Amino acid sequence: MSAVAAPAAGVNATARVRRQRVRVPMRLVSSPHYQDVALSVYVKVKALGLRPEGCQAKSTTIASYLGLSPASVERGMTQLRRPGPDGVVELFSDRRTLPGGKGTSALRTVRAMTRTEAFVWLPVAAAEDLTPRQLRAYALIAYAQARGIALTEAELAAGLRHHSGDKAGQPISVTAASAVVDEVEAAHWVTVQRRAGAQGRHHYIAHDIAPEARPDGVCASVAGAAEAAVTSGSQGSVSSLVGEGSGSPVDEGSLANRESLRTDSPDDERAFFSPAVGEVPVVEAAGPVETPADAAARTEAGSGLALRAGGNSQPSPSKPETEKRSSRGGGSPRSSYDGPHLAMSPQIYAVLEPVHLLLEKVTSDFVARQIAREVGRQLREGTDADRLHHRLTTRFAKVMLSEIRDPGRWLLGVALPRWGCGYQDCEAGVLWSTGKDCEVCAEIVQDKAAAHRRAQRIEQGLCPEHGTRPGPGDRCADCVLDDAIRNPATVPAQREPEGPPRGSCGDCGARIVVIGRSLEDGLCKLCREEAAALAAVVVPAQTAPAGQETCAGRDGDVPCGRRPLPSRSVCGVHRVQELAGEVA
């Protein structure tokens, strides 16, 4: 962020380098709901919360860091714990009790910020060096600098408000804002290039590193360059009075550039966070890094950096850091650690055998410890040594050595993490115990492919489900057919015709109206007339003699052996022949 960032070679060897920065939501800076002290408390609590044990400092300890009274710190924490106008709570406190029943300091955490939320990077050292109002002015200047906004004194005054008295909630005057800027500039956290901006505005430069970490004369050289570039009559004068600012009053300033919800990232975003400002860097004892007992011993060690339950809560003076932080490209390392060298257990060293070539190129003892601790953690959690060895071998074989710019970051971020689903036995889509493909990962891949295909079809104006062109009603023919199959049309019930009842003829089966004689014989008119014609033919009755058991007819020359019909002397076959002859 800063245009005057000092090289590490020019830093005073006796100065304490304080480089840590935290990301602060802009709602805390711009909202009049929060007092100035709430911003200072938020910065310090979030910085302390970046340690492994979190923020366990008491309010009196935080007040000693910020140079404020404990009551002011408690007031700021109370505001952060309460919901804001938009219902968002910034700070959460978890009250704790020791095993003996004695209460201890709370564990404080801040809420997780969203990716689309506006924020500003603030140095933790600025919260210690500046008053709460000066820190708020610095935050406004840093945010405007990151967004490329030409800030005026009137706009700066609109962001600083009264918090008590009759004018509570109203912006402070431009004169008061100018005085606040002068105080921040005197603390060497801001450089003001007077009348160097567009239309005679002041140009504000916010520094992102503590003044003691910059070489002597940097601010003076910047100020001298600004005075040489400006030819107006404001030579070495302080900030302007009311009506004489670097720009017009409110609503008449210069237009801002196109805004974006995301501001710049820190210059050292790839570097590791330094300890919270005011704390001593952790110096670890020698011994195998994966031994839990050693880690517990280091955690319980006093050494002035407690802020833990039942421990020392007083801050300890930090050790000077004089060496340069290792650059992104693998430059010379910077480390304040002067203790014993890294001791790695034979088991961990054997697991890392496929990447020994990369491990030798890791120049930072801290990164080497992190690698060994990660291997030890996975082994303790049940990962087989052969599985981890195979994982390192496979992933190292898939990359070129020239493509790995930072061996330590590649080992921690690519080689060691387990790839796969939530099933612990899954190793990059393959079950380690059986060697079969993981069904969960296969479903995830299919779902992602279907979602990608659906998005492509939507972009091309096709049906998302079938990939065909939609019809006049914005629906393709396949979608209409699918809807018809899922929701079939209801068939209307057959309506009974009105009038007399209908039936079927008992002889030919034709549909007839059952009225009149049809009610008696159940026949249609034609069948009834045909039956009457047959009945009119007189056929002499041939009765079978008593005791006759066989038909009297003959089949050729052979007598018929069938039983005769009742009241007849012949069987049914010969009776039909007789009727046929009579009709003929």
Side-chain angles (χ1 to χ4, degrees), residues 15-35:
R16 182 182 60 170
V17 180
R18 299 177 296 171
R19 299 176 179 270
Q20 186 183 19
R21 292 187 292 177
V22 295
R23 192 169 61 166
V24 179
M26 272 306 295
R27 62 184 301 275
L28 283 180
V29 181
S30 59
S31 175
H33 173 75
Y34 297 98
Q35 297 184 6

Side-chain angles (χ1 to χ4, degrees), residues 260-528:
S260 173
L261 292 177
R262 293 180 58 82
T263 59
D264 62 325
S265 298
D267 301 337
D268 54 347
E269 61 181 356
R270 292 188 179 183
F272 297 95
F273 285 102
S274 61
V277 176
E279 292 296 311
V280 180
V282 177
V283 178
E284 305 177 72
V289 296
E290 79 281 359
T291 306
D294 295 342
R298 289 193 298 270
T299 303
E300 297 299 332
S303 68
L305 38 105
L307 296 184
R308 301 179 177 88
N312 180 22
S313 61
Q314 297 299 328
S316 301
S318 64
K319 302 170 68 175
E321 300 176 353
T322 58
E323 300 182 10
K324 182 180 179 182
R325 182 186 298 270
S326 60
S327 61
R328 298 183 183 179
S332 59
R334 178 197 63 81
S335 174
S336 61
Y337 178 73
D338 54 357
H341 293 289
L342 174 66
M344 189 178 297
S345 68
Q347 183 184 13
I348 293 180
Y349 191 75
V351 170
L352 293 174
E353 185 270 334
V355 291
H356 280 177
L357 179 63
L358 296 178
L359 196 61
E360 294 174 356
K361 297 183 179 181
V362 177
T363 58
S364 173
D365 291 342
F366 175 78
V367 178
R369 287 180 181 273
Q370 293 297 106
I371 295 172
R373 285 173 176 169
E374 177 62 21
V375 175
R377 182 191 64 82
Q378 295 191 27
L379 293 177
R380 289 193 304 271
E381 291 180 355
T383 304
D384 295 338
D386 295 341
R387 176 177 177 180
L388 196 53
H389 186 278
H390 179 269
R391 181 189 304 170
L392 295 175
T393 304
T394 304
R395 295 182 183 175
F396 189 40
K398 293 182 179 179
V399 297
M400 299 292 294
L401 187 60
S402 59
E403 297 177 355
I404 303 177
R405 299 182 179 180
D406 191 335
R409 290 179 59 86
W410 187 84
L411 290 173
L412 289 173
V414 179
L416 288 175
R418 182 182 68 87
W419 296 348
C421 60
Y423 190 34
Q424 190 65 25
D425 195 35
C426 178
E427 184 72 27
V430 179
L431 298 182
W432 174 256
S433 59
T434 61
K436 298 180 179 179
D437 294 339
C438 179
E439 297 180 357
V440 178
C441 292
E443 293 179 359
I444 294 175
V445 172
Q446 293 177 1
D447 293 342
K448 289 183 178 180
H452 180 66
R453 182 171 60 253
R454 182 183 180 89
Q456 286 184 338
R457 290 175 176 176
I458 293 177
E459 292 179 358
Q460 297 173 1
L462 303 177
C463 175
E465 301 296 335
H466 305 93
T468 56
R469 291 288 177 183
D474 293 337
R475 300 187 64 190
C476 67
D478 295 334
C479 289
V480 176
L481 182 59
D482 292 344
D483 291 344
I485 294 175
R486 286 192 297 266
N487 302 316
T490 57
V491 179
Q494 187 175 3
R495 189 180 62 177
E496 292 291 337
E498 299 179 358
R502 267 71 171 175
S504 300
C505 177
D507 192 357
C508 63
R511 297 291 294 175
I512 59 175
V513 179
V514 185
I515 56 174
R517 298 182 61 183
S518 298
L519 294 173
E520 301 175 359
D521 51 16
L523 300 176
C524 64
K525 182 178 181 180
L526 295 179
C527 292
R528 187 181 302 111

Side-chain angles (χ1 to χ4, degrees), residues 109-382:
T109 57
V110 297
R111 70 172 179 89
M113 298 176 58
T114 60
R115 293 183 59 85
T116 58
E117 183 177 0
F119 62 88
V120 60
W121 288 96
L122 293 184
V124 181
E128 297 181 345
D129 296 346
L130 303 177
T131 63
R133 175 150 294 183
Q134 294 172 4
L135 180 64
R136 196 164 203 161
Y138 173 84
L140 293 172
I141 294 173
Y143 182 74
Q145 175 178 320
R147 299 281 290 273
I149 301 174
L151 189 65
T152 64
E153 288 184 350
E155 294 170 344
L156 184 61
L160 304 176
R161 299 177 179 270
H162 296 278
H163 298 293
S164 61
D166 298 336
K167 296 184 178 180
Q170 299 180 9
I172 66 175
S173 63
V174 179
T175 304
S178 301
V180 173
V181 173
D182 292 339
E183 295 171 354
V184 179
E185 184 181 16
H188 303 294
W189 279 103
V190 167
T191 298
V192 182
Q193 298 178 354
R194 308 188 186 281
R195 305 296 181 183
Q199 299 179 358
R201 290 175 171 82
H202 294 339
H203 184 205
Y204 302 98
I205 300 177
H207 305 306
D208 58 352
I209 191 172
E212 61 270 14
R214 299 193 294 269
D216 298 337
V218 171
C219 296
S221 62
V222 174
E227 293 177 0
V230 179
T231 59
S232 60
S234 59
Q235 299 179 356
S237 61
V238 297
S239 298
S240 57
L241 300 177
V242 179
E244 301 178 2
S246 60
S248 302
V250 182
D251 297 334
E252 295 182 10
S254 62
L255 296 178
N257 296 334
R258 182 177 181 183
E259 297 185 353
S260 173
L261 292 177
R262 293 180 58 82
T263 59
D264 62 325
S265 298
D267 301 337
D268 54 347
E269 61 181 356
R270 292 188 179 183
F272 297 95
F273 285 102
S274 61
V277 176
E279 292 296 311
V280 180
V282 177
V283 178
E284 305 177 72
V289 296
E290 79 281 359
T291 306
D294 295 342
R298 289 193 298 270
T299 303
E300 297 299 332
S303 68
L305 38 105
L307 296 184
R308 301 179 177 88
N312 180 22
S313 61
Q314 297 299 328
S316 301
S318 64
K319 302 170 68 175
E321 300 176 353
T322 58
E323 300 182 10
K324 182 180 179 182
R325 182 186 298 270
S326 60
S327 61
R328 298 183 183 179
S332 59
R334 178 197 63 81
S335 174
S336 61
Y337 178 73
D338 54 357
H341 293 289
L342 174 66
M344 189 178 297
S345 68
Q347 183 184 13
I348 293 180
Y349 191 75
V351 170
L352 293 174
E353 185 270 334
V355 291
H356 280 177
L357 179 63
L358 296 178
L359 196 61
E360 294 174 356
K361 297 183 179 181
V362 177
T363 58
S364 173
D365 291 342
F366 175 78
V367 178
R369 287 180 181 273
Q370 293 297 106
I371 295 172
R373 285 173 176 169
E374 177 62 21
V375 175
R377 182 191 64 82
Q378 295 191 27
L379 293 177
R380 289 193 304 271
E381 291 180 355

